[in-house]
Amino acid sequence: MKPLRDPPELVGKRLAETRVALGYDSQEEFAKALGLTKSTYNPYETGKRQLTLNSALLIYSRFHVPINWLFNGDPSQLPNHIHKLLIRAA
């Protein structure tokens, strides 16, 4: 059975790709847009800490990025405009 979440390193890589695709060059800008500090957000993106459900919900609420994408890499529910941005960024 597949784990409920990918390892923090994979989730972090996905977060970084998503942040850049959304037009945020820095973690600090992205964290601020979410109402987080860089010191809270940075460990998620660097894979040092597992993304919390609360933070994933903030990303969903602000940018409509599905939790399944963040935790498992499932692009099936990504809004089309975000999916296109991720493809271009890759």
Side-chain angles (χ1 to χ4, degrees):
M1 183 163 95
K2 184 177 174 11
L4 295 176
R5 300 177 185 194
D6 286 339
E9 300 81 23
L10 287 177
V11 173
K13 183 176 185 287
R14 205 171 295 127
L15 280 170
E17 292 168 351
T18 302
R19 174 180 55 77
V20 171
L22 291 170
Y24 288 87
D25 294 327
S26 77
Q27 290 181 4
E28 188 169 7
E29 292 173 27
F30 191 64
K32 186 176 180 179
L34 296 171
L36 300 172
T37 63
K38 182 182 176 189
S39 63
T40 297
Y41 177 78
N42 174 270
Y44 301 147
E45 192 171 302
T46 58
K48 293 184 186 339
R49 184 171 165 219
Q50 183 63 263
L51 178 66
T52 65
L53 180 57
N54 188 53
S55 293
L57 288 169
L58 288 173
I59 296 168
Y60 174 76
S61 294
R62 174 72 170 86
F63 299 107
H64 307 289
V65 175
I67 292 171
N68 275 348
W69 164 253
L70 297 172
F71 286 136
N72 303 106
D74 177 2
S76 66
Q77 296 176 358
L78 274 171
N80 196 36
H81 72 283
I82 295 173
H83 192 259
K84 286 180 182 178
L85 292 171
L86 286 166
I87 290 170
R88 271 190 249 152

